[in-house]
Amino acid sequence: MGKRSSPPSEIEVRVQPRIGDNTIHPLEMGSAAPYRQPSEAEAGNYSGEVMPFRRWRPWMVPAFVLVNIFLFAITMFVNDCPKKSSSCVASFLGRFSFQPVRENPLLGPSSNTLEKMGALDVNKVVHGHQGWRLVTCAWLHAGVVHILANMLSLLFIGIRLEQEFGFPRIGLLYIISGLGGSLLSALFIQSSISVGASGALFGLLGGMLSELITNWSIYANKFAALLTLVFIIVINLAVGVLPHV
């Protein structure tokens, strides 16, 4: 008694907010670490967001589309329907007009022209040692309907894959798949010629399906993504049963 107790000393407690979390986590007493602005990567990890891969600028897939269209124009120029037939489709296009529908329902050149330009002919590959046709046939198309379906599919899936994985991987996948498609065509279509980039496209579709399955949990609308992929596959399968394809 008579002794006056001294007031308790004040203890300073600092708190540091955590990005994306409302809970306050006190630091150890006495620590006075300065606050540091978190980087974008750290902020993404704290908030639970999935950081995307490096975004590539797509240029290879549009270049492939231009090359296919250019080669189709050259094929039509070489075909020169008015010189061979008097019933060409769209005759106002001159030598770029199409063969009669009964000969080529896809609005394109004749079989002889496609063969001259490098279509896949099993006899010439096996007996004529023209193995280069396994490559050239993947850059040719049988008609407007054929090239339109293929190039729209290539733009739709190819640009997205190139943005995600880059041109080295997607370019290699496209070339190898095109060669694989030519080999399968040589095994199953031996009585007629065949052209088209369908083999390469199905390789890209396989890559897109693999990416969809791997990243299934991060897709906001899974049904729409899967339905779009199935639609493209059905369209390419339907085109694949047409003549010369």
Side-chain angles (χ1 to χ4, degrees):
M1 292 190 52
K3 222 177 204 187
R4 186 174 177 183
S5 60
S6 58
S9 58
E10 296 182 357
I11 299 177
E12 181 181 5
V13 178
R14 298 173 182 268
V15 296
Q16 183 174 359
R18 183 179 180 184
I19 305 300
D21 190 358
N22 295 327
T23 306
I24 297 177
H25 303 276
L27 300 177
E28 293 182 0
M29 291 187 298
S31 64
Y35 174 73
R36 180 176 65 87
Q37 183 69 25
S39 63
E40 292 184 3
E42 292 173 339
N45 291 334
Y46 281 136
S47 61
E49 296 177 358
V50 178
M51 299 301 294
F53 294 109
R54 170 188 172 186
R55 303 298 289 181
W56 296 74
R57 183 183 298 274
W59 62 267
M60 184 195 64
V61 169
F64 281 176
V65 172
L66 292 177
V67 169
N68 279 280
I69 294 175
F70 179 69
L71 290 176
F72 181 72
I74 293 179
T75 303
M76 295 306 303
F77 181 83
V78 173
N79 184 67
D80 194 7
C81 180
K83 188 177 179 180
K84 306 171 185 176
S85 176
S86 58
S87 56
C88 299
V89 178
S91 56
F92 61 89
L93 295 176
R95 66 183 302 155
F96 290 97
S97 56
F98 313 117
Q99 292 297 123
V101 176
R102 65 179 181 278
E103 184 179 347
N104 188 342
L106 300 177
L107 301 178
S110 64
S111 300
N112 291 334
T113 301
L114 289 173
E115 186 177 351
K116 184 188 302 183
M117 293 295 296
L120 179 59
D121 187 331
V122 177
N123 290 327
K124 292 189 176 183
V125 171
V126 176
H127 304 292
H129 306 290
Q130 299 180 7
W132 49 270
R133 291 181 178 271
L134 294 171
V135 178
T136 56
C137 68
W139 299 90
L140 301 175
H141 290 83
V144 174
V145 177
H146 187 198
I147 192 172
L148 186 62
N150 276 357
M151 293 305 101
L152 287 178
S153 299
L154 178 58
L155 285 173
F156 187 82
I157 63 177
I159 288 182
R160 180 172 179 271
L161 289 175
E162 187 179 356
Q163 286 177 334
E164 188 88 9
F165 301 105
F167 67 90
R169 293 185 180 93
I170 300 307
L172 191 61
L173 176 61
Y174 186 90
I175 299 298
I176 293 177
S177 300
L179 180 60
S182 299
L183 291 173
L184 286 176
S185 295
L187 291 175
F188 293 100
I189 308 177
Q190 300 184 1
S191 59
S192 62
I193 64 172
S194 62
V195 294
S198 298
L201 281 175
F202 273 107
L204 295 184
L205 285 168
M208 188 175 179
L209 179 60
S210 174
E211 189 267 343
L212 177 62
I213 295 174
T214 303
N215 300 320
W216 181 259
S217 60
I218 67 174
Y219 273 84
N221 196 336
K222 299 177 176 60
F223 179 74
L226 185 60
L227 186 63
T228 301
L229 184 61
V230 171
F231 176 75
I232 297 176
I233 293 175
V234 170
I235 292 296
N236 281 273
L237 285 175
V239 173
V241 300
L242 297 175
H244 308 313
V245 182

